[in-house]
Amino acid sequence: MHCLGCRDPCSAASFNSRQSHDVARVFRTGSIYTPQIVIDGRLEGIGSDFNAIRKAILAAARTPKAEVLVSAQRSGDSLSIDLHVDEAANVGRNAPADVTVAITEDHLVTEVRRGENRGRTLRHTAVVRSLMTVGELAPGDRTFSTSVSSVLAREWKPENLRIVAFVQERHSRRIVG
């Protein structure tokens, strides 16, 4: 959520830095903004342009991707995540790629008190709570495995958490798995 005159309660400096970097490097619009939708790390669009979004999603779905397998085990406020990447040769990657894990939370609600959305209740899905780069696939590497741990913040509701893992080319920002 981003609105004039209000602070996003779910924002983090690292998220803002990543977004600014990606918008400037990938989309090259000359301004920093929050894209409404980003598809495969390279295409951005307006959420109301259903036909363009559908076309971009279908094209992305036809593009070969690495297989990313994730399993997790929770113990108290700690989460242990096992991750394995298997990239087929037809993915066509010849640049370094980052292996990234996001912990997201559904069913968050914001009561907006200021700005253009003042007085509104906003409901959120897949809010990024944690974003970790856990490894790298160098050019020529086709597999990667690791285990990582993360501490769950007290305010997070475990039943609403999801783990999203992806492989993204470092320079082009193309999602390859």
Side-chain angles (χ1 to χ4, degrees):
M1 176 191 77
H2 185 78
C3 64
L4 298 174
C6 62
R7 184 189 159 288
D8 181 348
C10 300
S11 70
S14 62
F15 301 164
N16 293 340
S17 175
R18 178 183 168 93
Q19 176 183 322
S20 296
H21 189 253
D22 287 358
V23 167
R25 186 175 57 194
V26 177
F27 305 132
R28 296 187 174 105
T29 63
S31 64
I32 301 301
Y33 63 99
T34 302
Q36 288 186 3
I37 188 167
V38 176
I39 301 160
D40 249 8
R42 296 184 303 171
L43 305 168
E44 62 94 19
I46 298 170
S48 61
D49 191 350
F50 179 78
N51 289 332
I53 290 170
R54 186 174 192 285
K55 183 178 175 182
I57 289 171
L58 290 172
R62 287 189 298 269
T63 305
K65 300 281 192 279
E67 180 179 51
V68 181
L69 302 173
V70 180
S71 63
Q73 199 80 24
R74 180 176 164 224
S75 177
D77 66 350
S78 183
L79 189 63
S80 177
I81 303 167
D82 294 320
L83 181 72
H84 179 77
V85 176
D86 190 8
E87 182 181 285
N90 67 345
V91 169
R93 182 184 60 82
N94 57 11
D98 294 318
V99 180
T100 303
V101 173
I103 299 174
T104 68
E105 187 171 3
D106 293 340
H107 308 296
L108 297 179
V109 176
T110 303
E111 302 290 337
V112 183
R113 301 190 196 314
R114 298 176 36 189
E116 64 192 17
N117 289 318
R118 186 174 93 194
R120 292 183 63 197
T121 299
L122 304 178
R123 302 189 187 291
H124 312 287
T125 301
V127 174
V128 176
R129 294 304 213 159
S130 171
L131 189 65
M132 306 174 280
T133 299
V134 298
E136 172 189 310
L137 276 172
D141 289 351
R142 296 290 174 235
T143 62
F144 174 86
S145 293
T146 192
S147 295
V148 296
S149 295
S150 181
V151 175
L152 303 177
R154 193 169 278 148
E155 66 271 14
W156 300 354
K157 294 183 178 158
E159 67 273 14
N160 295 336
L161 298 178
R162 304 287 178 263
I163 299 170
V164 179
F166 57 96
V167 182
Q168 185 173 36
E169 285 184 336
R170 185 168 300 144
H171 300 293
S172 74
R173 308 311 281 164
R174 175 175 73 114
I175 301 293
V176 296

